[in-house]
Amino acid sequence: MNVIAQSALSRYDHRLPYRKIGDRFEQLHGLELSGASAWHATERAARAGRCEYEQIRHQIQQADVVHVDETGIKRDGEQAWIWTFTTENHTLYAVRESRGSDVPAEVLGEDFAGTIVCDGWTAYPAFSSNLQRCWAHILREAEDAAEKQAEGEPIYRALKQLYVALQTRLESDLTVRERAELQRVARRELESLIERSVPDGPVATLLGKIEGGLDHWLTFIGEPAVSPTNNAAENALREPVVLRKIIGTLRNDRGMFVHETLLSLLATWRQQGRNPYEEFKRVARDNEMISRSQAVPAVASSG
């Protein structure tokens, strides 16, 4: 149990290469452990932890609000993506060769009824109409457009003022009717921006993005539990991004399986204030270890 727990933590918390993990066992415990053995111990942690991975997925499927984002990763030198699905108490990662709407459909289930907080990637509206587009993204894009084209400055200023005004207004305990009216007023403000005549270039592209997400910028006004930004998912991707720089490419399906499983367990345990070392020992001791033939990076259908 200790070898499995320490190998998994050394790889995914301390970010050590498997060869260094073997060296560490010899230095600290006088135990000879090859790099290959360290890998197998880490894989065993993932195989034992997969049932908890599925439990995390089930909890996320039932959530009212889920933050979703994705970033690139290499699988045997080929392009793949690591997706994150995160709530207040749970985070799940999924490594897939697809960046399409089939991934949220697979992970969240076709019948997912919650709100997705996301950026402007086309996979999200293709999966669900219940979205909150990220204001942090659009404000950054507006600032960038303003730096490149003079016509963008008043648009960026107006967007920023609207966002700050909405945040301030929502600090009050508004009734449902007041929220609905605020939503209508804010939508008119966005529509007035869209109607501005600007030459082709970055600002026209920006206005097109605002128009394309018009039904999804203001969800947070009517749904108090929804955040106007996707910072939670962006923060959840930081650790995989750091590991991507260290690890480089994932070698095969088993590597993808281990990666998504152990990252999900560690992130969720940290959110819940649990001790990862004790949790890995518990998982290795109490959970059924699935076979290697089952250790593939595919989340089972929710149906």
Side-chain angles (χ1 to χ4, degrees):
M1 307 304 172
N2 285 328
V3 171
I4 290 174
Q6 289 190 38
S7 293
L9 277 177
S10 295
R11 181 60 167 176
Y12 281 92
D13 197 18
H14 305 141
R15 305 166 182 165
L16 294 178
Y18 289 113
R19 178 180 57 80
K20 290 289 187 180
I21 296 173
D23 292 344
R24 189 167 182 263
F25 270 99
E26 185 173 2
Q27 292 166 1
L28 296 180
H29 307 293
L31 177 64
E32 290 188 14
L33 194 74
S34 67
S37 296
W39 149 251
H40 287 304
T42 304
E43 184 193 29
R44 286 170 66 86
R47 286 161 53 203
R50 193 63 178 193
C51 62
E52 298 212 10
Y53 178 95
E54 293 297 336
Q55 291 169 12
I56 293 168
R57 182 175 72 100
H58 179 72
Q59 291 296 320
I60 290 174
Q61 285 182 329
Q62 309 307 312
D64 293 329
V65 183
V66 180
H67 293 251
V68 187
D69 203 358
E70 80 295 324
T71 189
I73 194 170
K74 295 294 185 181
R75 178 204 178 279
D76 194 24
E78 299 295 326
Q79 185 63 59
W81 284 268
I82 183 164
W83 294 70
T84 185
F85 302 81
T86 188
T87 66
E88 184 177 358
N89 294 310
H90 300 87
T91 293
L92 185 133
Y93 297 95
V95 181
R96 296 293 181 272
E97 295 179 355
S98 170
R99 199 188 177 196
S101 61
D102 56 317
V103 179
E106 173 199 343
V107 174
L108 296 175
E110 297 283 358
D111 298 327
F112 177 72
T115 298
I116 292 176
V117 185
C118 58
D119 59 21
W121 179 237
T122 56
Y124 303 117
F127 168 67
S128 173
S129 60
N130 195 12
L131 306 177
Q132 170 61 56
R133 289 280 297 274
C134 178
W135 274 81
H137 274 80
I138 201 65
L139 287 173
R140 286 196 297 265
E141 291 183 31
E143 184 176 21
D144 184 62
E147 292 174 354
K148 294 176 179 176
Q149 197 174 352
E151 291 85 354
E153 178 57 37
I155 293 171
Y156 169 57
R157 188 166 58 249
L159 264 183
K160 190 172 182 179
Q161 288 173 349
L162 174 61
Y163 178 66
V164 171
L166 291 174
Q167 292 288 80
T168 301
R169 187 77 178 90
L170 289 171
E171 290 176 359
S172 305
D173 188 16
L174 302 182
T175 65
V176 173
R177 180 176 294 181
E178 288 171 331
R179 284 178 174 273
E181 178 59 25
L182 182 62
Q183 208 167 28
R184 284 192 289 270
V185 171
R187 185 179 177 107
R188 287 199 294 269
E189 291 279 344
L190 292 177
E191 289 172 340
S192 70
L193 288 180
I194 294 167
E195 292 168 359
R196 297 194 183 197
S197 177
V198 297
D200 290 340
V203 177
T205 300
L206 171 70
L207 294 181
K209 289 183 178 181
I210 296 173
E211 183 176 14
L214 195 55
D215 292 334
H216 307 306
W217 295 116
L218 305 171
T219 306
F220 74 100
I221 298 176
E223 299 183 28
V226 173
S227 169
T229 74
N230 201 25
N231 293 341
E234 290 189 356
N235 290 339
L237 281 179
R238 287 179 180 172
E239 182 64 19
V241 167
V242 171
L243 281 170
R244 180 179 64 192
K245 295 176 181 178
I246 296 171
I247 295 173
T249 188
L250 299 173
R251 294 182 181 273
N252 50 38
D253 286 352
R254 287 166 65 192
M256 292 167 68
F257 173 88
V258 170
H259 202 66
E260 68 180 19
T261 304
L262 297 188
L263 281 173
S264 299
L265 297 183
L266 280 170
T268 297
W269 291 337
R270 289 191 184 104
Q271 283 175 279
Q272 298 175 0
R274 293 153 76 179
N275 183 312
Y277 177 61
E278 296 300 327
E279 292 301 318
F280 270 129
K281 287 198 297 182
R282 175 187 59 78
V283 162
R285 180 183 65 246
D286 298 342
N287 290 9
E288 180 181 355
M289 189 174 296
I290 65 173
S291 68
R292 284 202 174 119
S293 64
Q294 295 174 288
V296 293
V299 181
S301 169
S302 62

